[in-house]
Amino acid sequence: MTLRREQKKLLEQVPEVGNWTKLRKKQVSVKDLAALTASTGHEFAVFTGKSSKILIHGTSKSWHIPHDAWEVIKSNQYEWTAHSHPTMTKITVSPEDRETLKLFTWQEKSTIIDLKGNTKEFTASTQDWINEILGVVDYDKREKSNKYSWPDTD
């Protein structure tokens, strides 16, 4: 995939696995993660603070937050906006994705984006994970009397 000029500049700032950089908010979007992943085959993650974002370059199967980046993220309570998966099939939330989100005690949800730009929002909830595996839809944990709806089996 051919990157736009702005996306090439992003990749130049995080050219290697494990690299990270701090950017102005408008310099990187969730859609940019899909383009970077399509170009490299690697995962990328973005975190949003009050006035800036952090972009991290991962491997083809995962990414990690470098200790110095985590200090900035945690002390300023950046939100984990999104990360990319190098897939064009169904987006799957991994147990590692959910465990990572649990570190962000100040937020409830994050997003995964695939190579095509499809997104999937997820939570750290084990119940949400179980519901996804079982195919339970329309589960609303805010309701006191949850009503489950099973997918049609036509």
Side-chain angles (χ1 to χ4, degrees):
M1 174 180 188
T2 304
L3 295 174
R4 294 190 332 263
R5 185 171 49 98
E6 300 83 11
Q7 293 165 336
K8 286 179 184 175
K9 287 182 182 179
L10 289 173
L11 190 54
E12 288 169 3
Q13 292 183 62
V14 290
E16 303 292 328
V17 169
N19 288 162
W20 70 279
T21 189
K22 195 171 177 181
L23 304 160
R24 291 187 318 272
K25 271 189 164 180
K26 293 184 179 181
Q27 279 184 276
V28 62
S29 70
V30 173
K31 294 284 185 190
D32 290 328
L33 299 182
L36 293 170
T37 295
S39 176
T40 64
H42 293 165
E43 293 190 9
F44 288 82
V46 69
F47 305 84
T48 304
K50 289 184 175 94
S51 60
S52 60
K53 288 186 178 181
I54 288 178
L55 176 66
I56 297 176
H57 186 154
T59 70
S60 62
K61 296 182 183 201
S62 67
W63 56 273
H64 74 278
I65 304 171
H67 293 293
D68 51 349
W70 177 245
E71 290 303 318
V72 175
I73 290 166
K74 186 177 179 185
S75 64
N76 296 289
Q77 293 196 341
Y78 278 62
E79 290 203 356
W80 180 20
T81 310
H83 73 288
S84 56
H85 280 185
T87 182
M88 290 191 299
T89 58
K90 181 182 177 193
I91 298 174
T92 305
V93 182
S94 71
E96 293 84 4
D97 293 336
R98 293 189 196 282
E99 287 301 312
T100 301
L101 186 55
K102 286 179 185 178
L103 297 172
F104 292 79
T105 56
W106 52 90
Q107 82 177 78
E108 291 183 20
K109 297 177 182 179
S110 188
T111 300
I112 299 172
I113 189 165
D114 70 9
L115 297 173
K116 292 182 180 178
N118 299 312
T119 60
K120 179 175 187 136
E121 195 173 71
F122 69 97
T123 70
S125 165
T126 304
Q127 185 63 55
D128 288 348
W129 178 65
I130 292 168
N131 290 347
E132 185 176 326
I133 290 171
L134 296 175
V136 177
V137 293
D138 298 332
Y139 170 80
D140 188 342
K141 64 184 173 193
R142 294 169 296 181
E143 297 280 332
K144 287 185 180 174
S145 60
N146 289 310
K147 294 191 169 116
Y148 292 91
S149 169
W150 297 89
D152 292 334
T153 55
D154 292 344

